[in-house]
Amino acid sequence: MSHSEATTSTDQAGTDPSHPAQREVRNPEESRLKALLEPAVMANRLYLEDVAIQVAGSHRVVHVVIDLPQEETGGVSLDVIAEISRALSDILDNDPRTDGRPYDLEVSSPGVGRPLTEPRHWHRARGRMVKVNVIQGENLTGRIQSVDDDGVTLVPEQEVKKGMKPKQGDPVKIPFDRIRQGKVEIEFSHLHEAVLEDEYNGPSEEA
């Protein structure tokens, strides 16, 4: 018996063990399940970001994080998450190598607070305002203009007096190997989207 839950990710990168940035070592069962589930995710034109397993006694929770392809912008809709949850639950129910232990399946999409740790994350954030910590350089806040194989081009926001409209500087190219950390900045125009991604818990579905 399985139980699947369609949710969007909450911004808990510092405490969430299913977050890719928090786990340096993947156990063999997580790798096996990722290989098992990935074809179904790709068939729905989605990207399988991560699979993580939490075990509590005889019970386990399978966390699956999906995302849109890097060439697309926006977020994964709740309807799509619910649909892929049902498909992945069916696959797990019929897994020939399962040990028979009950599990909960939780499928989510990355929240806006996800650290930008891979080139594809920067592609997905095109057009968004980001804060970048630079190695051996001045930290920058600016809007992503473009992303290529070598790095990110930002249009930086220059500091102005309070109440004045922000000014934009000249585009700056930052190589990936000089980026220590990057994170999307929440803007008023994206506030509704951020609230949905960070606070919504979708309906549970018994598989």
Side-chain angles (χ1 to χ4, degrees):
M1 178 73 68
S2 67
H3 180 273
S4 64
E5 184 176 273
T7 68
T8 53
S9 173
T10 56
D11 187 9
Q12 297 177 335
T15 58
D16 185 359
S18 69
H19 197 289
Q22 304 305 311
R23 301 183 305 107
E24 296 181 357
V25 179
R26 179 185 301 279
N27 70 44
E29 181 65 2
E30 289 173 341
S31 297
R32 186 185 75 81
L33 289 184
K34 185 171 184 180
L36 177 68
L37 301 175
E38 193 164 33
V41 175
M42 294 179 63
N44 284 271
R45 296 192 69 253
L46 297 167
Y47 178 85
L48 182 53
E49 184 89 18
D50 194 51
V51 174
I53 300 173
Q54 287 182 297
V55 179
S58 62
H59 191 81
R60 60 179 178 165
V61 179
V62 180
H63 300 272
V64 177
V65 182
I66 60 173
D67 199 4
L68 294 175
Q70 71 174 29
E71 64 272 9
E72 297 188 28
T73 57
V76 184
S77 73
L78 298 173
D79 288 342
V80 169
I81 290 177
E83 182 178 348
I84 197 67
S85 294
R86 290 189 288 270
L88 299 185
S89 182
D90 287 342
I91 293 173
L92 291 175
D93 284 346
N94 293 283
D95 180 5
R97 295 176 58 185
T98 183
D99 58 12
R101 286 183 297 173
Y103 70 91
D104 286 341
L105 171 65
E106 295 182 356
V107 179
S108 65
S109 61
V112 293
R114 167 184 62 180
L116 306 175
T117 59
E118 301 177 15
R120 70 173 306 274
H121 297 161
W122 293 93
H123 279 279
R124 290 279 291 114
R126 291 189 313 275
R128 302 295 289 265
M129 187 69 66
V130 296
K131 183 176 183 179
V132 185
N133 291 340
V134 181
I135 298 173
Q136 295 183 340
E138 184 179 353
N139 296 337
L140 294 173
T141 297
R143 195 171 302 281
I144 299 179
Q145 183 182 74
S146 63
V147 183
D148 59 27
D149 293 338
D150 301 320
V152 180
T153 299
L154 293 183
V155 178
E157 292 236 325
Q158 299 178 340
E159 292 187 9
V160 295
K161 293 182 180 180
K162 186 176 180 179
M164 295 182 63
K165 185 177 180 180
K167 293 183 178 179
Q168 294 182 337
D170 295 329
V172 177
K173 176 72 173 287
I174 309 174
F176 285 125
D177 59 9
R178 289 188 54 209
I179 296 176
R180 177 179 288 110
Q181 184 182 39
K183 187 175 181 179
V184 171
E185 295 281 278
I186 303 300
E187 301 176 80
F188 181 77
S189 59
H190 294 283
L191 185 59
H192 180 65
E193 171 189 342
V195 169
L196 284 178
E197 290 187 3
D198 286 345
E199 296 184 356
Y200 182 86
N201 288 316
S204 299
E205 297 179 0
E206 189 75 21

